[in-house]
Amino acid sequence: MNKKVPNVAILCRVSTEEQDTSRQVSELKALCYEKGWNVVAVIENQESGMKRSLAGLETVKELARKGKIQKVVVSEISRIARRLSVVSNFVEEMEDLKVSIFWQNQGLETLQENGERNGVANIFLAAFAEIARNEREMTVKRIRSGLASAREKGKVLGRPKNSLKSPQQFLSDHRGIVRRLKEKQAIRDIARLERCSFSTIYKVKNVLEEM
């Protein structure tokens, strides 16, 4: 008897608007194609993994509750969240709904083919989730330490005084973005074509709307 092809939700997350999920999406789509899985949803989330509630996870949960997916695919555990409690609660709810979570980096998933819990995978999952949280905390500490050290040395942080540009000058410096926004091009396309961050595009957009 042929195995039923699982419906899959691809879950991607980056921490800021300046970052891009396109690499995660393309790699995970290729993985699903290779394994013969049917991708029915791609959830892209731009939120800090330290938050206790993440919009992307809520979207996945809703799909699972409605029985629309049997598997969630992520590139690594930290893309779910960086809080062990959030990861654990999410995995537990997915297991209760008989939805398996597959993470690419280790090639493991939380449920076995017979639907039973994969104990080994869950041990690894908890370990990697804790590592992800520790990495985040160490990064924050290094940044704060660097800022404190710079202040002690008398360095001025932030924008130099009198460096703010007028709205007209700011828009003039970003003429390409202005033109593409007026043409109603997609933000992602503008970022790629103008080689700029999402935040720059949104700043230009906000200035245009205020004028």
Side-chain angles (χ1 to χ4, degrees), residues 72-83:
V72 180
V73 179
V74 296
S75 59
E76 57 184 82
I77 295 304
S78 66
R79 298 307 89 197
I80 297 175
R82 286 190 180 273
R83 284 186 178 274

Side-chain angles (χ1 to χ4, degrees), residues 44-75:
E44 299 177 69
N45 201 16
Q46 292 176 319
E47 289 185 284
S48 167
M50 292 303 291
K51 294 177 68 174
R52 296 183 183 278
S53 177
L54 293 162
L57 301 190
E58 295 306 314
T59 301
V60 173
K61 290 177 184 179
E62 188 64 24
L63 291 170
R65 290 169 188 147
K66 292 179 178 179
K68 293 185 176 182
I69 57 173
Q70 291 79 50
K71 201 181 296 287
V72 180
V73 179
V74 296
S75 59

Side-chain angles (χ1 to χ4, degrees), residues 93-107:
E93 182 165 351
M94 291 300 100
E95 287 179 344
D96 289 344
L97 294 167
K98 296 301 179 183
V99 173
S100 185
I101 299 173
F102 179 96
W103 67 100
Q104 180 188 30
N105 277 13
Q106 280 70 43

Side-chain angles (χ1 to χ4, degrees), residues 137-176:
E137 290 177 347
M138 288 302 297
T139 299
V140 171
K141 286 179 181 178
R142 284 196 297 268
I143 291 172
R144 288 175 178 169
S145 175
L147 292 174
S149 177
R151 292 191 185 98
E152 288 176 1
K153 294 176 181 178
K155 292 183 179 180
V156 178
L157 304 175
R159 288 178 179 268
K161 291 183 179 179
N162 303 319
S163 67
L164 294 178
K165 299 177 181 178
S166 67
Q168 292 79 7
Q169 182 61 52
F170 179 73
L171 295 178
S172 177
D173 289 346
H174 298 286
R175 287 187 294 272

